[in-house]
Amino acid sequence: MLFKQQALLRQKLFVLGSLAIGSLLYLVARVGSLDRLQPLCPIDGRFGPRGQDEIPLRALQFKRGLLHEFRKGNATKEQIRLHNLVQQLPKAIIIGVRKGGTRALLEMLNLHPAVVKASQEIHFFDNDENYAKGIEWYRKKMPFSYPHQITIEKSPAYFITEEVPERIYKMNSSIKLLIIVREPTTRAISDYTQVLEGKERKNKTYYKFEKLAIDPNTCEVNTKYKAVRTSIYTKHLERWLKYFPIEQFHIVDGDRLITEPLPELQLVEKFLNLPPRISQYNLYFNATRGFYCLRFNIVFNKCLAGSKGRIHPEVDTSVVTKLRKFFHPFNQKFYQITGRTFSWP
């Protein structure tokens, strides 16, 4: 009996040994054949000339690796000191407008190796409770970065909140301010659509856009409706100009950022005095999503959240016409102040 068990054990060991040797020989042969093969798509061919399309590898490493660990709170104070990392106050802020494309702009600017973004909206300057916590609290909300990098945050409520321009001025009177705008009527409908979706998720009813945008008593545009008020860009900008010269603002075309993002991003790079690093390689159109996604490198791609690009409800054409006629003189003044003209009806 014992002899049979020993024979069976030797047989199993022989089979396992044969399998192991066979696998090893296969791997050796496979590696040898791979060495002889030319890659179908050489890595160098995926980039343009060095320094033009390729983001420096070192920048990618610390942005996607090291800094990510620090954001998760996995770093010691000694590691932070050794890597010369700091939490800096922002040198530029995307101040608005809501539903203009602030998230898309922030994520696209984060493609630049010299830019580090705050992931969440801080709402420091427009929230009295947060503002009372002080500037050090605000700084601690910023991501870790290297001293030469620019930290950027975005909170679109800043643009329309009365107290914000003075508060930001007191922090940094030379800060650069980014405003991204869309055609005012489209922006107002997009604003409504986001609120409507939130109501529907909670099984709540909500008024139709037409009833909110038009005063039923006067049949005129309802300027008390926040979605309409936000789209009167010039009214809000004039309040900011009491504290900052127009040279400290850069206006981004939110409609163009959707259809042709690279030229808009290149203008922002210039405004922020950044070397040109974002290229067409970093942006690719996703036909399924219907807008551009981001390519940081060969491995890491990113698309905006699925909540972006909501389908707008149909709005009565007479209401659309009335709104566009209402916004027209404000738009003309906005063009005059900013020096940038848009093809808004």
Side-chain angles (χ1 to χ4, degrees):
M1 184 68 176
L2 179 61
F3 175 78
K4 288 183 178 180
Q5 289 178 342
Q6 290 175 339
L8 183 61
L9 179 61
R10 283 196 297 270
Q11 185 178 3
K12 288 181 178 179
L13 289 173
F14 175 78
V15 172
L16 290 173
S18 300
L19 288 172
I21 293 171
S23 299
L24 182 60
L25 290 172
Y26 171 79
L27 287 173
V28 170
R30 179 64 174 160
V31 170
S33 65
L34 286 175
D35 287 340
R36 292 190 298 272
L37 289 174
Q38 293 296 322
L40 293 176
C41 182
I43 296 300
D44 291 342
R46 299 181 190 177
F47 296 93
R50 179 170 289 276
Q52 177 181 336
D53 289 347
E54 184 177 359
I55 298 175
L57 180 59
R58 181 171 177 273
L60 288 170
Q61 287 172 334
F62 69 64
K63 289 194 76 175
R64 304 305 156 210
L66 182 62
L67 290 184
H68 180 65
E69 291 302 311
F70 289 131
R71 287 170 188 161
K72 293 193 300 183
N74 293 342
T76 64
K77 290 183 179 180
E78 181 63 17
Q79 286 175 316
I80 292 170
R81 186 187 66 79
L82 287 173
H83 288 285
N84 198 29
L85 289 168
V86 290
Q87 286 174 292
Q88 304 183 79
L89 290 172
K91 295 176 183 175
I93 301 178
I94 301 173
I95 59 174
V97 299
R98 172 181 162 93
K99 304 313 298 174
T102 57
R103 173 55 62 182
L105 177 60
L106 183 68
E107 296 293 343
M108 288 178 178
L109 288 178
N110 193 50
L111 288 163
H112 199 292
V115 171
V116 178
K117 69 178 177 70
S119 297
Q120 302 297 321
E121 293 179 9
I122 311 300
H123 289 287
F124 177 64
F125 298 103
D126 66 310
N127 183 297
D128 291 341
E129 184 178 340
N130 287 342
Y131 189 68
K133 295 175 182 176
I135 203 73
E136 188 62 17
W137 177 89
Y138 180 56
R139 189 177 67 83
K140 291 290 187 181
K141 292 291 182 181
M142 295 300 131
F144 285 100
S145 62
Y146 288 91
H148 71 275
Q149 291 179 306
I150 293 178
T151 296
I152 296 181
E153 76 124 321
K154 74 103 175 174
S155 294
Y158 289 168
F159 186 59
I160 64 170
T161 306
E162 290 187 12
E163 299 83 4
V164 170
E166 182 179 5
R167 289 175 175 179
I168 292 182
Y169 180 84
K170 287 179 179 178
M171 178 191 72
N172 182 0
S173 61
S174 61
I175 197 166
K176 293 181 180 290
L177 302 165
L178 293 160
I179 305 171
I180 179 167
V181 294
R182 296 186 67 195
E183 191 277 313
T185 301
T186 302
R187 195 223 64 82
I189 296 172
S190 181
D191 197 327
Y192 166 83
T193 304
Q194 178 170 296
V195 176
L196 176 64
E197 185 180 277
K199 298 284 186 181
E200 289 177 341
R201 279 201 305 266
K202 298 176 182 177
N203 293 319
K204 293 183 178 180
T205 57
Y206 195 49
Y207 294 110
K208 292 188 68 174
F209 175 79
E210 292 86 343
K211 190 168 184 179
L212 294 168
I214 304 298
D215 188 322
N217 297 318
T218 64
C219 291
E220 297 299 328
V221 173
N222 179 16
T223 55
K224 293 181 180 180
Y225 179 37
K226 187 176 179 180
V228 168
R229 218 167 50 243
T230 299
S231 286
I232 309 175
Y233 304 139
T234 184
K235 289 291 186 182
H236 306 294
L237 182 58
E238 285 173 342
R239 185 171 58 252
W240 284 84
L241 291 173
K242 294 176 183 177
Y243 295 91
F244 300 96
I246 193 62
E247 292 76 20
Q248 281 178 233
F249 296 87
H250 178 72
I251 311 301
V252 179
D253 186 340
D255 295 309
R256 192 183 183 201
L257 192 74
I258 296 171
T259 60
E260 196 180 0
L262 184 58
E264 287 300 314
L265 295 173
Q266 290 172 332
L267 289 173
V268 177
E269 283 180 323
K270 187 176 180 180
F271 172 70
L272 296 177
N273 297 318
L274 293 170
R277 288 293 181 272
I278 303 174
S279 74
Q280 197 61 58
Y281 169 79
N282 302 119
L283 303 160
Y284 66 96
F285 187 76
N286 186 312
T288 303
R289 302 292 299 280
F291 48 78
Y292 280 85
C293 294
L294 316 179
R295 181 187 290 116
F296 291 87
N297 54 39
I298 299 171
V299 177
F300 183 58
N301 298 341
K302 180 178 182 179
C303 286
L304 297 178
S307 60
K308 305 301 178 183
R310 296 179 181 90
I311 298 175
H312 293 179
E314 288 189 16
V315 176
D316 189 286
T317 54
S318 64
V319 172
V320 172
T321 301
K322 187 182 287 286
L323 282 168
R324 287 177 173 170
K325 184 178 180 181
F326 168 81
F327 286 126
H328 183 74
F330 297 111
N331 295 342
Q332 295 302 310
K333 192 171 185 180
F334 186 71
Y335 301 161
Q336 184 181 4
I337 293 173
T338 62
R340 183 155 195 191
T341 302
F342 301 93
S343 56
W344 296 338

